[in-house]
Amino acid sequence: MPKNKGKGGKNRRRGKNENETEKRELVFKEDGQEYAQVTKMLGNGRLEAMCFDGIKRLCHIRGKLRKKVWINQGDIILIGLRDYQDAKADVILKYTPDEARNLKTYGEFPETVRINETVVYSVDGLDEDIEFGDEVSSEDEADDV
């Protein structure tokens, strides 16, 4: 009979469903924290977020949230600002859409924030002046088709 060398069976891989239905207390920002909306997932536990103070920051998902809380593009998150690096921050908490709506009604977010929609920020000037020419230069190429 083979010995068990793993860390458990399929129930371990299925995971725990700990706080799915539990209502948690609404967490407001404190000093050194800021609200942000995820603009791009970069992989490797990192993301790019547009903070509500107007600065785009590179954020790192901390280990407590990393495999337990899935963060997608367009989600509202609470980030902890770094004293020594203004362009980088750490993700502290992900808000559910209901919590984000509540924060918006309390006046914590600007009115222009869209909660349920994915945000697409394009770099200005990249795709404005693209023209596609469907002209055939000679009659020989037209015969080949």
Side-chain angles (χ1 to χ4, degrees):
M1 193 177 231
K3 294 197 175 194
N4 295 330
K5 294 181 181 175
K7 294 178 180 156
K10 67 180 176 183
N11 288 335
R12 178 193 160 272
R13 282 193 296 275
R14 195 171 291 152
K16 299 176 192 150
N17 199 359
E18 289 176 352
N19 53 1
E20 189 69 31
T21 57
E22 236 176 83
K23 287 286 263 187
R24 65 177 180 205
E25 192 175 324
L26 196 58
V27 178
F28 293 99
K29 73 173 182 176
E30 298 171 3
D31 289 338
Q33 296 178 349
E34 187 63 50
Y35 300 115
Q37 190 166 24
V38 179
T39 57
K40 188 193 288 185
M41 296 301 296
L42 299 174
N44 200 20
R46 296 177 307 145
L47 55 94
E48 192 175 80
M50 188 69 189
C51 301
F52 293 157
D53 60 358
I55 301 171
K56 191 178 278 193
R57 290 187 172 94
L58 180 75
C59 301
H60 179 263
I61 302 171
R62 67 191 200 123
K64 186 177 180 183
L65 302 178
R66 194 159 179 181
K67 296 236 171 145
K68 296 175 179 72
V69 179
W70 292 103
I71 298 176
N72 297 313
Q73 189 174 356
D75 287 342
I76 305 292
I77 56 175
L78 178 68
I79 61 170
L81 304 175
R82 296 182 179 178
D83 297 334
Y84 51 94
Q85 290 174 314
D86 191 45
K88 293 187 180 179
D90 302 298
V91 178
I92 297 173
L93 184 87
K94 174 194 167 188
Y95 291 109
T96 63
D98 289 335
E99 291 172 333
R101 274 190 287 277
N102 289 342
L103 284 170
K104 191 172 181 180
T105 56
Y106 290 144
E108 294 285 321
F109 298 163
E111 290 298 317
T112 57
V113 175
R114 295 198 172 117
I115 294 171
N116 288 351
E117 301 173 17
T118 33
V119 182
V120 179
Y121 286 104
S122 64
V123 179
D124 293 335
L126 280 185
D127 55 354
E128 292 174 358
D129 299 326
I130 298 175
E131 294 180 13
F132 295 99
D134 293 334
E135 303 157 5
V136 178
S137 61
S138 68
E139 294 176 13
D140 295 335
E141 292 178 3
D143 292 339
D144 293 339
V145 177

